[in-house]
Amino acid sequence: MKIFHLTLIVLFLSIPVGFAVDQEQVNRVAEITGVAPNRVAKMEETIQKSRDAGMLIRAKRFDEGFKILEEITPENGFSKIDSEGSRYELARAYKIAGEYQRSYLLLNDLSALSPSWKSTLEDDLLEVKTILDFESSRDNKQILDFVEWFKSQNKPFFPPKGFELDRL
């Protein structure tokens, strides 16, 4: 549920930016939102890079997708929040690619940044840790325990009624 809320917030904030495809539109969005034009332009660039990386990852072109997400850093002029969001997307991409150790380390680093990240990433961290533990022990109990925990944390979504399928 936390990820769903985070996604909604990002989408809500990025909708006006998503339409800012040229400088005139960037200036207009900046005027409407009160956000500096250069920040609006960087937000648009972040959104576009994230879309591009997502398409590559879905196409199993992982290294290319990873590279794009790794470019969204404060050193490249992106904000701290854009960089942290990109790192979260990168951790999820690692998980999709089966690179669970890399995913876990990155999620752990993000979780240490603030209490809000820690609570947001609880499900992801536990899931990846469970997979890593299972890979080392081959004990199904860890997977079954995680499934039971997940179901207890997401009771309102069982049985799935629609958008909850993304969560599951």
Side-chain angles (χ1 to χ4, degrees), residues 134-149:
F134 173 75
E135 283 184 336
S136 66
S137 72
R138 292 296 186 213
D139 181 5
N140 291 341
K141 183 177 177 345
Q142 292 149 342
I143 301 291
L144 297 173
D145 288 347
F146 173 78
V147 169
E148 288 307 313
W149 174 84

Side-chain angles (χ1 to χ4, degrees), residues 40-141:
V40 172
K42 268 309 195 192
M43 288 172 72
E44 169 56 26
E45 185 179 351
T46 301
I47 291 165
Q48 189 57 52
K49 283 182 176 290
S50 293
R51 275 190 213 126
D52 294 346
M55 288 177 11
L56 289 166
I57 288 162
R58 282 189 293 281
K60 297 185 180 182
R61 294 167 52 190
F62 298 116
D63 289 337
E64 294 171 70
F66 297 162
K67 186 174 185 247
I68 290 172
L69 292 172
E70 289 166 350
E71 292 171 355
I72 303 173
T73 64
E75 295 79 25
N76 289 333
F78 294 92
S79 73
K80 180 179 178 263
I81 189 103
D82 292 342
S83 175
E84 289 174 2
S86 174
R87 289 174 62 202
Y88 174 66
E89 289 181 49
L90 184 58
R92 292 181 62 198
Y94 287 152
K95 182 175 75 171
I96 291 166
E99 296 187 27
Y100 303 115
Q101 188 65 39
R102 287 177 81 180
S103 179
Y104 183 75
L105 292 172
L106 190 49
L107 289 168
N108 219 18
D109 288 348
L110 281 170
S111 181
L113 293 176
S114 71
S116 63
W117 268 117
K118 185 175 177 114
S119 67
T120 300
L121 299 176
E122 179 183 23
D123 294 1
D124 292 296
L125 273 165
L126 187 56
E127 177 185 3
V128 174
K129 177 82 169 99
T130 299
I131 292 168
L132 288 170
D133 290 347
F134 173 75
E135 283 184 336
S136 66
S137 72
R138 292 296 186 213
D139 181 5
N140 291 341
K141 183 177 177 345

